[in-house]
Amino acid sequence: MAFRAAEYERFSGTRSNAPPWWPLWHATFQRGWASRWIRMITFGGIAIAAIISLILYFVQKVVPEWRAMLEEMGQRVGGEGPSLRFDAEIYLILLHWFVYPVLVPMAMLLGYDLMAGDLRGNALESYFSRPITPLGYLAGRSLAFVSFLLLPTLAPMLWIWCMDVFTAPAGHFAAVRMVPLGLSAALLLISLSLALFIQALTTITRSGLWTALVFVILFILSGGIGPALADLTDQRAFMALAFWDNIFSVANGFLGYPEPARQHAPFALSVSILGGITLLCFLYLLAKVKHRALVG
Amino acid sequence: MSDPVLALEALTVRYGRFTALDGVGATFHGGALGLLGPNGAGKSSMLRAILGLVHPAGGRIRVLGQDTATAGPRLRRRLGYMPERDSYIVGISGVSALAHLAEICGLRRGDAMVRAHDVLHFVGLGEERYREVATYSVGMRQRYKLAAALVHDPDVLILDEPTNGLDPQGRVRMLELIAKVVREHGIHLILASHLLPDVERLCNDVWVLDRGELKKADTVANLTAAARGAKRVRLPDGARAAFTAAAQAAGLHVLGDGHDNEVLVSLPDGVVEPRQVFQLGAQAGVPVLGVKAAARSLEDAFLEALEGQP
């Protein structure tokens, strides 16, 4: 390659027609991948999927009727209560395994300095003097963020679903056919709201450490206040103040389970809360970015 | 005739109630244009309006024949902007940052990386290209910003105070780099600066701005043409107004130089003879105490424009 040209040369190659936010998506993704912690968490998510897939495969080979056995065992243990079945309910449990140890820490690690860094280095002026618009910038950054969150969560869960369907006897597919759609919708909404919320926090605190602290405090506080108010007033809608309960209700609802017990927030309210957080954070970030780029 | 590089029609830019540019109209046909003006004159606002970073409250801007209001952001592929303030991407090396910025302007990934290396070598940051920009010195950051403006090979280079914070040696090197790009590669330059020697050295056209208004638009050659024939005239106290009126009526440019009893008189193209000065003094009823040759530089022209003289 023609490096080390001490003289300026005009560019004679062809230009790409890719949208300007595409390089931003790519760069954000690369930046995330450069973090050792993020790589470890991603591999952790993939490893969980691989282990569960292998277990599914071998159990199916060795004890083909294990699902019926598990159900029977569930009935014995639970009595009249709901039996334990390897259908959408298992995916609900799995989803929580992926949300708390994988998705939330990943969101913190990736998002804590993404836009705060751009504001600190005044990079927005460099971006917006190029063909990218504030909306394109936000789209590039946020889509990469969400893609990164879905890679070690949705992808392994879909892989587990595939292995489940391929190793299961005929008829099991009918019980879990809506699972991929439910998982995708739940994880997309949770990831998008987290990604935008954390980015909005970083633009306020301008510090990765403060963003992490504020996020953890809000998470714990909301998790305490919501249930406390729900208990005091006997109104389960107050549970929607707890971030974790919204995640639970959204996952539950999208996976096709009926309205959960009264101690959880209603599905529609939780979707509205997460959707509202997403929309508000998006509008806030767009205004912030426009203000910095177009007036600053 | 090809389209002008930049054409402004009654351009007005406002930030809330503050008017940064007020009905500016001018045309730049190509080469190198210097935007001169004191702080707050509207230079940066003009650059930002050209780039579409501020939306004009009125008027039109045409860049390379395209209306910025309708051409959309793709027009910015052809513009290279060096902002006055530091602007860099944190957490990645200089060369990666430049390649990333070039990709946003449509260069393919491989081409973008090659150009990033080449341009960093061109500005003299070849050895520092793997360092994070945040660790660069002030001078290195200025050169990095020039490289960022050039990396996608623009047709118009827009520089906002490119020599700010540079030591004399760094300033000379920066001006050489800009001159090389503009003169050898046909890239048009729009340079905002309050440093007149920088503009005089690089530009062929000059627009003088003050408090949001265009005070003068001319070539550097025209503005400094009278340098050879200007005269500094010493007058008694309180006689300046009468002498100025007589001189202006005779078609001379008159510029105060900060002293109440001295003015600088010049012709747009020609030599002011001492005899002519004494005749003006006689006409105005003012005794001329002294006449001596005075160099009339771009600085004089600039001050003259700010004083609102023709």
Side-chain angles (χ1 to χ4, degrees):
Chain A
M1 285 193 283
F3 290 163
R4 296 188 178 280
E7 292 302 316
Y8 186 81
E9 285 173 19
R10 298 303 305 254
F11 176 66
S12 54
T14 52
R15 290 185 194 247
S16 147
N17 282 320
W21 55 264
W22 174 250
L24 201 67
W25 182 93
H26 184 260
T28 309
F29 207 81
Q30 266 190 331
R31 187 165 155 181
W33 198 244
S35 157
R36 192 161 58 91
W37 280 103
I38 286 178
R39 285 202 303 272
M40 277 170 60
I41 293 173
T42 305
F43 284 127
I46 292 167
I48 294 171
I51 291 164
I52 292 174
S53 305
L54 279 174
I55 291 170
L56 274 177
Y57 179 76
F58 285 112
V59 167
Q60 184 65 32
K61 285 282 174 198
V62 177
V63 194
E65 64 280 6
W66 68 276
R67 284 185 172 80
M69 287 169 64
L70 202 67
E71 194 173 333
E72 195 184 324
M73 195 171 75
Q75 276 169 348
R76 281 184 193 164
V77 173
E80 293 297 311
S83 60
L84 183 63
R85 296 175 57 172
F86 201 99
D87 58 13
E89 191 174 355
I90 284 290
Y91 289 96
L92 190 61
I93 296 165
L94 277 178
L95 193 139
H96 284 92
W97 284 5
F98 278 95
V99 165
Y100 292 107
V102 179
L103 194 138
V104 172
M106 186 82 128
M108 290 307 308
L109 284 167
L110 189 66
Y112 83 96
D113 200 30
L114 210 54
M115 281 186 69
D118 283 346
L119 292 173
R120 208 169 51 246
N122 188 32
L124 297 182
E125 201 161 5
S126 285
Y127 281 128
F128 300 136
S129 60
R130 289 176 163 72
I132 200 159
T133 58
L135 190 62
Y137 167 82
L138 209 50
R141 281 272 188 250
S142 301
L143 286 178
F145 198 155
V146 169
S147 309
F148 226 109
L149 296 182
L150 295 181
L151 181 71
T153 52
L154 182 61
M157 290 193 74
L158 290 179
W159 173 253
I160 292 170
W161 178 82
C162 287
M163 289 301 288
D164 177 32
V165 168
F166 287 129
T167 59
H172 179 65
F173 175 73
V176 294
R177 69 179 194 282
M178 295 307 285
V179 163
L181 201 62
L183 284 176
S184 304
L187 282 171
L188 192 65
L189 183 58
I190 295 167
S191 303
L192 200 57
S193 55
L194 262 181
L196 290 168
F197 182 64
I198 288 174
Q199 287 188 95
L201 266 186
T202 66
T203 63
I204 296 167
T205 64
R206 304 275 180 97
S207 142
L209 183 66
W210 277 108
T211 299
L213 275 176
V214 169
F215 181 75
V216 169
I217 290 167
L218 281 178
F219 204 88
I220 293 170
L221 268 184
S222 73
I225 291 171
L229 283 174
D231 273 351
L232 277 173
T233 60
D234 207 24
Q235 299 252 333
R236 68 174 178 143
F238 280 111
M239 287 300 289
L241 290 175
F243 203 71
W244 64 266
D245 199 62
N246 288 314
I247 290 176
F248 178 89
S249 291
V250 161
N252 203 79
F254 277 123
L255 280 170
Y257 267 77
E259 285 280 298
R262 52 183 283 122
Q263 66 266 31
H264 294 293
F267 170 66
L269 183 60
S270 289
V271 169
S272 308
I273 295 275
L274 290 190
I277 288 174
T278 306
L279 186 68
L280 280 178
C281 291
F282 175 79
L283 293 176
Y284 165 77
L285 287 169
L286 193 63
K288 183 95 180 170
V289 162
K290 273 187 173 174
H291 177 75
R292 282 295 296 245
L294 305 184
V295 181
Chain B
M1 193 174 164
S2 61
D3 289 318
V5 171
L6 174 65
L8 307 180
E9 291 172 29
L11 176 65
T12 300
V13 171
R14 289 198 187 99
Y15 302 116
R17 287 183 180 176
F18 175 72
T19 302
L21 287 172
D22 191 8
V24 173
T27 305
F28 165 52
H29 287 280
L33 168 69
L35 299 182
L36 284 176
N39 288 338
K43 306 186 294 289
S44 294
S45 292
M46 184 180 283
L47 297 188
R48 295 167 78 80
I50 293 166
L51 287 157
L53 297 180
V54 287
H55 301 299
R60 284 174 65 189
I61 307 168
R62 292 180 70 81
V63 180
L64 297 165
Q66 297 183 63
D67 192 325
T68 54
T70 54
R74 280 178 76 90
L75 174 61
R76 297 204 286 261
R77 281 185 173 194
R78 300 179 67 189
L79 312 178
Y81 175 54
M82 176 178 174
E84 182 179 5
R85 291 185 299 167
D86 277 346
S87 176
Y88 57 87
I89 301 163
V90 296
I92 56 174
S93 66
V95 71
S96 299
L98 281 198
H100 172 52
L101 293 174
E103 271 189 75
I104 290 173
C105 291
L107 270 68
R108 294 177 199 282
R109 192 162 304 142
D111 290 337
M113 188 50 85
V114 171
R115 277 219 43 108
H117 280 271
D118 284 350
V119 172
L120 282 172
H121 276 289
F122 172 67
V123 300
L125 289 175
E127 298 300 318
E128 316 295 337
R129 62 193 191 275
Y130 295 115
R131 270 173 58 183
E132 266 194 52
V133 182
T135 68
Y136 286 1
S137 67
V138 173
M140 287 160 73
R141 284 189 196 184
Q142 288 295 91
R143 281 186 280 156
Y144 164 80
K145 284 194 290 178
L146 178 64
L150 287 170
V151 70
H152 56 287
D153 191 28
D155 294 320
V156 183
L157 194 56
I158 299 172
L159 310 180
D160 197 355
E161 307 283 0
T163 54
N164 258 11
L166 296 179
D167 57 32
Q169 201 179 4
R171 183 171 154 264
V172 168
R173 173 80 180 121
M174 175 64 84
L175 294 176
E176 280 172 1
L177 289 171
I178 298 167
K180 192 180 266 270
V181 167
V182 172
R183 286 173 193 150
E184 294 179 13
H185 298 281
I187 294 174
H188 304 290
L189 171 70
I190 300 174
L191 169 74
S193 180
H194 65 278
L195 296 173
L196 295 145
D198 291 3
V199 174
E200 198 161 7
R201 178 165 175 177
L202 291 171
C203 299
N204 46 292
D205 286 10
V206 173
W207 294 356
V208 180
L209 293 163
D210 186 35
R211 280 171 283 187
E213 289 178 7
L214 183 67
K215 295 288 185 181
K216 191 119 189 165
D218 208 337
T219 63
V220 173
N222 276 348
L223 288 170
T224 57
R228 293 168 299 279
K231 293 288 184 288
R232 194 173 296 278
V233 181
R234 196 152 61 85
L235 302 163
D237 290 342
R240 184 175 150 181
F243 182 84
T244 299
Q248 285 176 344
L252 273 76
H253 290 177
V254 184
L255 175 69
D257 66 350
H259 301 287
D260 273 350
N261 59 352
E262 271 195 5
V263 291
L264 198 73
V265 289
S266 64
L267 283 166
D269 188 15
V271 175
V272 179
E273 298 293 345
R275 184 170 42 85
Q276 199 177 354
V277 173
F278 285 109
Q279 279 174 354
L280 284 171
Q283 278 172 23
V286 171
V288 172
L289 302 180
V291 178
K292 61 181 177 182
R296 185 179 185 279
S297 64
L298 185 61
E299 190 168 349
D300 298 325
F302 171 64
L303 290 170
E304 188 177 280
L306 291 189
E307 286 190 2
Q309 296 192 25

